[in-house]
Amino acid sequence: MKRFIRAVASLIVVVGAASASAQDTPAHITVYSGRDETQLKPVFERYTRETGIEVRLHTERRSSFAERLTTEGADTPADLLVIADVGNLWAVAERGLLRPVQSDALDRSVPSAFRDPEGRWYGLSRRERTIFYARDRVDPATASSYEALADPRWRGKLCLRTARQGYTQSLVAMLIAQHGPARAEEIVRGWVDNLAMDVFTNDTVLLEAIAAGRCDVGIANVYYYTGAVKQNPALAEQVKLLWADQGAGQGGVHVNLSGAGVVRHAKNPEGARRLLEWMVSENAQADYVDGLYERPVNPAVEPDPMTQSWGRFTPDATNGAVLGARQAEAIKLLARTGYK
């Protein structure tokens, strides 16, 4: 009888602890993001409609979430962090601000090149950064790789985005990973020598400069090109897209990411994981990239029809964590070469 009473008492303790734990888990999920609220809000509203779980979104376009999460520490309300650029994702993870997640659903939906090997972050959308050229002035065979744009034939004809932009830094990090520091520096010095004018702070303006004859070739993100052509269809006749590094032995088109990770001190880590799994599922990926013209990270989901019309290509398979680890080296290289 005593043994039975002790067993019942133990069961009551376990059930009571589980009940208390369930009560301590928030019924909502709090998301921090550097992305535009108007882009994310409809996605999370759909999740709430489907699951009944409230998603509280906090966006700050210019905020340093690494500093914010560090300052807030265990008191942070954030459960999930959604940001852009592999360098940013890597930096936040390396500061111990994201917790590793093990999920078969995430691993099935996100190719290995587009997720952290330790499961601290996962890509949500792909941002290919490739070469664009003036149709009437350039033979595309002469500009088929990032390396080719360092050739003196492009002296005074090349347009590039500023070195302060994460897109540039991640591209140079890829060059370092592929070619080694010395050769990567030679390529970047060639780019600087070939600049037609000061660097750009906006890819759309860069593409318009090619169309206007201010330069003949440049490097930009594909989603900017798609958006610009949607606004001005004539641009597609003047400026053409060229998928870089598609030859034998070449690495493929550079890919940057937007991505997300579960916050280290999340109050609702399981809820954050389930939301992240949903965001990369076939069910939600089209909504996440809707109107952005970025490419879904889930290969089972088709991109915007116009984005798809630019043709098939081989993406670079360098893992985003490698690019992040090379980011500081890339920034120093850019400074040495005078790339502003």
Side-chain angles (χ1 to χ4, degrees):
M1 187 65 177
K2 290 181 180 179
R3 190 174 298 171
F4 173 76
I5 292 172
R6 285 198 299 269
V8 171
S10 297
L11 180 60
I12 291 172
V13 170
V14 171
V15 171
S19 177
S21 177
Q23 291 175 356
D24 290 342
T25 300
H28 61 270
I29 303 163
T30 299
V31 177
Y32 279 3
S33 181
R35 306 215 66 181
D36 194 296
E37 182 177 358
T38 60
Q39 297 167 345
L40 288 179
K41 192 174 180 180
V43 177
F44 294 140
E45 286 176 343
R46 178 184 166 193
Y47 184 74
T48 298
R49 289 194 302 271
E50 292 183 5
T51 66
I53 299 171
E54 178 189 4
V55 179
R56 299 180 180 177
L57 175 62
H58 298 271
T59 59
E60 295 182 26
R61 294 299 299 274
R62 300 185 183 276
S63 173
S64 170
F65 283 102
E67 296 303 327
R68 180 169 177 175
L69 289 171
T70 299
T71 300
E72 292 175 344
D75 295 325
T76 185
D79 298 307
L80 187 71
L81 177 65
V82 179
I83 54 176
D85 184 68
V86 290
N88 291 333
L89 288 163
W90 179 85
V92 173
E94 287 299 298
R95 292 180 66 165
L97 299 172
L98 302 177
R99 64 170 66 197
V101 172
Q102 291 185 338
S103 167
D104 290 340
L106 287 168
D107 291 347
R108 285 194 303 269
S109 296
V110 184
S112 59
F114 307 137
R115 52 182 157 91
D116 179 53
E118 298 178 33
R120 296 171 297 179
W121 55 262
Y122 289 80
L124 294 172
S125 64
R126 292 166 42 181
R127 300 168 158 195
E128 289 81 15
R129 191 160 187 80
T130 194
I131 297 167
F132 295 86
Y133 65 94
R135 187 196 67 174
D136 295 337
R137 302 189 301 277
V138 174
D139 174 0
T142 62
S144 62
S145 69
Y146 304 109
E147 187 175 3
L149 298 186
D151 190 285
R153 77 169 69 230
W154 303 115
R155 190 66 50 87
K157 299 178 180 179
L158 176 63
C159 280
L160 294 174
R161 186 101 176 239
T162 173
R164 294 188 294 273
Q165 174 56 245
Y167 298 134
T168 301
Q169 296 163 11
S170 292
L171 173 59
V172 173
M174 185 198 75
L175 294 178
I176 295 171
Q178 287 185 348
H179 300 286
R183 179 56 185 148
E185 186 163 334
E186 288 178 3
I187 294 170
V188 175
R189 286 189 183 279
W191 290 354
V192 173
D193 290 343
N194 290 343
L195 284 173
M197 60 194 73
D198 289 340
V199 291
F200 290 79
T201 58
N202 182 286
D203 277 3
T204 302
V205 178
L206 184 155
L207 294 166
E208 291 170 350
I210 297 175
R214 297 170 64 196
C215 48
D216 287 351
V217 290
I219 300 174
N221 282 359
V222 175
Y223 74 91
Y224 279 106
Y225 180 64
T226 304
V229 171
K230 293 261 189 181
Q231 294 292 321
N232 176 22
L235 183 69
E237 295 302 315
Q238 300 167 299
V239 180
K240 294 295 185 182
L241 177 153
L242 191 159
W243 294 116
D245 288 27
Q246 298 297 288
Q250 294 180 310
V253 174
H254 171 58
V255 179
N256 208 315
L257 301 168
S258 74
V262 177
V263 175
R264 170 66 67 180
H265 295 294
K267 305 300 185 298
N268 189 0
E270 286 304 302
R273 175 185 58 78
R274 288 192 293 270
L275 174 57
L276 181 52
E277 290 172 342
W278 179 83
M279 291 178 75
V280 299
S281 70
E282 292 184 50
N283 184 37
Q285 277 274 280
D287 276 2
Y288 180 76
V289 300
D290 183 40
L292 297 175
Y293 312 123
E294 297 173 9
R295 197 173 293 265
V297 74
N298 187 327
V301 182
E302 297 290 351
D304 172 87
M306 182 175 284
T307 299
Q308 193 172 1
S309 75
W310 305 138
R312 300 175 65 86
F313 63 94
T314 299
D316 176 61
T318 305
N319 186 276
V322 174
L323 302 182
R326 294 282 196 172
Q327 203 89 354
E329 190 177 357
I331 292 170
K332 292 177 182 178
L333 186 155
L334 288 160
R336 287 197 305 272
T337 60
Y339 190 146
K340 300 177 180 180

